[in-house]
Amino acid sequence: MSFVPGIGIVKGMGLTLRRFFEPKATVKYPEQKADVAAKFRGRLQLLLDEHGALKCETCFQCAQACPIECIDMGGMDTKSRFHVHWGPPETYGERREESAIRRSGRTVPDPAFNSFQPLELDALDEALRRYDYDPRRMLEILEATQAIYGHLPVAAIKKISQLTGAWYAPIYGVATYYGHLRFESPEAKAQVAAMAARRPSEDAYLAHLGASLAGGSGVGGPS
Amino acid sequence: MSLLKTPAGWPSILLPKADGGAGKDAFSGLRHAIHLGPTGTIAEVAASGLRGHGGSGYTTADKWRAAALAGRDAGVSTRYVVVNGYGADPSSLTDRTLLAENPAGVVEGAAIAAWAIGAEEAIIAVRAGETAAIAALEGAIAAAGAAGLLGNDAAGTGHRLEVEVRTVQGAYMLGEETVLIKALEGKRGQPEQRPPHPTEDGLWGKPTVVQNAQTAAAAAWILAHGAAEFRQAGTSEDPGTILVDVRGPAGGGIAEVPFGTTLAAIAKLAGGTGAGHEIKAVLVGGPSGGILPADHLTTPYTFEALRVAGAHVGSGSVIVADERACIVDLARLLTRYCADEACGKTIPCRIGTRRMAEIGERLAGGTSRAGDLELLVDLAEDIVGSALCDHERLATLPLMSGLRYFRPEIDAHLERGECPAGVCHPSALGRPPATATTTPSATQPSSASPA
Ligand SMILES: Cc1cc2nc3c(=O)[nH]c(=O)nc-3n(C[C@H](O)[C@H](O)[C@H](O)COP(=O)(O)O)c2cc1C
Ligand code: SF4
Ligand code: FES
């Protein structure tokens, strides 16, 4: 590896010089205003890294922080462990309304929650009663929900949010963290299998470790 | 995993001897603690010099004292004890073995800690799925209750003392204390900034002692047999014993070893490498452990000596590798696991560990770029300096210890695209060495990662 002293400075100055002669993009706000459409509110975009993986952890902290709770998320997380489903678009308006109501401290009215996929909610009601609608027992509630449906359906999460008073985004944030909680319906067998294969598993780790110690399966080798 | 036979005369503190040689009647430690009172109990533990077995080796009595005093002036009366029986490392079954083999000791230790700090509730956190351990613990709790030692008027003291088993699962990071607390609170498992330590601001914001299961069992033994007898085992800095999970080409299992036992003696318990092979390295501390060369086998198994050597006690895992293993391959595998399991809360964690794993994968794949090793060292320094939790700091150890002790092997990968152990299959075999041109070579496909 050779190293030319000062090359970094030269490169840096080169960049500075180039920028110096480029047209200015900065606008003297608020005296001047950029020419944007009246309804423009900026664009939220999730970026991909150089391997084409989503740079998002699905931690839902952005959704949690968003003052009007307009952020919803869907797709695959950074490590391709979770496929998080988007809620149906027609419910977005209702969701904003719901969060506004929740911030006001009132409970969210019931009927809106039935507009997702049809879901038999009696068992969930019963489970929530068992946990005393206590948001502090969210992990147990989510585990019970998964025991009922085989996964965590959006409608169930909304129902949990409504009855425990916990915000939707943090509930999702909890659910995406724990490896044993799933979002894929058990009926979607191919997807379930694909997602399971992507999740880091202890068995896979031990198998790789054993193979590595025994001198097998290195990078690029036959796997 | 089986229990390994240890040399006769080695002390037995954590695991009861097969002949029942642990002696003394059930729960005598808890009875003695109640007799001594909270302050006396902490004094006894302090005299024993007991250090946490969960990896960091923090002095147990200091932790108890801090939690006992925290918020006293502000009138905080609720406190908690959380016994960490999660056993995060898949390659170490030490804690899980302890829970099944000596459940009474763990329950007793939990109750003693609660009594010492003035807590009413102790929670033993166990992996969901460890049904045998859970049943054993429930049995021990019932026995202690039947003996009148738990309940609203524990041992006639007028104090409430409860021990409860809670199950957790779903992530490696759950072993970390602040993450475990989050999980018990039903939250996303990401570590918290310290200070304040859990001893001030723990479960539900109350002073909380998080203690490894082995530490709890050792505390129970100390109260039953006395601090002086405890100090008979181990070294003066690290008294007592610890469970190790030794694995090697010739077999493996769990063993209770006195602190200060050399790595060579530990490796021998598992039969070393077996006939025809030489020990090349030992991985000490689990996925984020250090890879130490054979000439470091004389290192005593103590917190300080391992840290100086570039490894750590960690999960109690000791893995013996012979000449068939490639250090680059091993280190990139471990780093990838650590990166995959990092929680993503902080930048060094989310990005730093992944960049390190990629450098390891490039080394193994023969696609290293100019300056990769410098970048690696740089990254490691930044991660260690700015990390929020110990996981990220420790995640740098496999590659850093590899760099420290196995430089020629790494250079062979880097400069000549060769793997001396014949494990890696660098795609750029025979390619001229990486030069200072900045064009990045082909990126490592992510499918090469273990997950
Ligand atoms: C990534 C990570 C994983 C950990 N896993 C465990 C574990 O499985 N069991 C454990 O007792 N401590 C684990 N620890 C250490 C705990 O954070 C904590 O220090 C310990 O439970 C305190 O108990 P002690 O003082 O008795 O050692 C882990 C720490 C880190 C950073
Ligand atoms: S979910 Fe978390 S990681 Fe993803 S965009 Fe929002 S804040 Fe960032
Ligand atoms: S693992 Fe993410 S902050 Fe430590």
Side-chain angles (χ1 to χ4, degrees), chain A residues 69 97-109 167:
Chain A
E69 284 190 50
E97 210 167 286
E98 162 217 331
S99 59
I101 296 170
R102 191 173 292 120
R103 271 200 311 284
S104 76
R106 282 176 286 140
T107 49
V108 183
W167 284 21

Side-chain angles (χ1 to χ4, degrees), chain A residues 96-179:
Chain A
R96 272 209 293 281
E97 210 167 286
E98 162 217 331
S99 59
I101 296 170
R102 191 173 292 120
R103 271 200 311 284
S104 76
R106 282 176 286 140
T107 49
V108 183
D110 223 3
F113 294 90
N114 304 330
S115 65
F116 277 87
Q117 70 243 56
L119 198 64
E120 180 53 67
L121 290 171
D122 288 353
L124 180 60
D125 269 330
E126 167 54 33
L128 282 165
R129 217 179 359 261
R130 215 166 47 240
Y131 292 109
D132 204 20
Y133 307 97
D134 188 350
R136 304 189 310 170
R137 305 181 71 180
M138 192 52 72
L139 204 41
E140 292 159 274
I141 292 174
L142 291 174
E143 282 166 0
T145 309
Q146 178 157 301
I148 297 168
Y149 303 107
H151 71 133
L152 300 175
V154 188
I157 294 185
K158 299 229 73 187
K159 182 85 180 169
I160 295 168
S161 163
Q162 175 227 344
L163 288 180
T164 60
W167 284 21
Y168 180 75
I171 296 178
Y172 244 131
V174 172
T176 56
Y177 181 82
Y178 293 90

Side-chain angles (χ1 to χ4, degrees), chain A residues 1-3 11 49-51 54-55 57-61 78-79 81 135-140 143 170 172-180 197-206 208-222, chain B residues 88 90-91 127 166 169-171 173-174 179 183 185-190 204 247 287 319 321-322 324-325 329-330 332-334 337 339-344 350 354-355 358 361 364-365 370-371 374 414 423-425 436 438 443-444 448 450-451:
Chain A
M1 252 162 292
S2 65
F3 175 75
K11 273 197 221 153
D49 69 10
E50 64 272 34
H51 304 317
L54 201 57
K55 275 189 176 178
E57 291 280 335
T58 59
C59 70
F60 281 77
Q61 292 189 43
T78 334
K79 298 169 191 161
R81 287 170 310 180
R136 304 189 310 170
R137 305 181 71 180
M138 192 52 72
L139 204 41
E140 292 159 274
E143 282 166 0
Y172 244 131
V174 172
T176 56
Y177 181 82
Y178 293 90
H180 62 298
R198 286 192 178 107
R199 278 195 191 97
S201 93
E202 300 192 326
D203 291 343
Y205 168 67
L206 289 175
H208 281 99
L209 189 61
S212 176
L213 291 168
S217 89
V219 162
Chain B
S91 60
R127 252 172 204 262
R166 288 272 305 271
Q169 60 178 320
M173 286 305 297
L174 292 175
V179 177
E185 291 175 345
K187 294 182 184 151
R188 190 176 168 86
Q190 290 176 320
W204 306 121
R247 298 173 188 209
I319 295 178
D322 59 23
R324 286 171 294 177
D329 186 55
L330 189 58
R332 63 112 198 148
L333 178 75
L334 299 168
Y337 183 76
D340 275 347
E341 292 295 341
C343 77
R350 182 167 61 233
R354 272 179 228 182
R355 291 294 99 91
E358 285 162 12
E361 280 156 10
E374 290 80 353
L414 182 74
V423 173
C424 309
H425 304 271
T438 47
T443 49
Q444 192 63 42

Side-chain angles (χ1 to χ4, degrees), chain B residues 52-58 60 63 84-89 95 172-173 175-178 210-213 215 389-391 394:
Chain B
H53 288 41
S56 58
Y58 194 77
T60 303
K63 215 184 235 187
N84 188 345
Y86 182 64
D89 174 7
D95 291 346
Y172 172 75
M173 286 305 297
E176 203 273 346
E177 53 187 8
T178 58
V210 183
Q211 206 79 74
N212 172 260
T215 319
C389 79
D390 280 340
H391 174 63
L394 297 168

Side-chain angles (χ1 to χ4, degrees), chain A residues 51, chain B residues 362 366-370 372 427-428 431 434 437-444:
Chain A
H51 304 317
Chain B
R362 285 204 291 270
T367 54
S368 289
R369 304 170 191 172
D372 259 2
S427 55
R431 196 186 59 133
T437 48
T438 47
T439 33
S441 39
T443 49
Q444 192 63 42

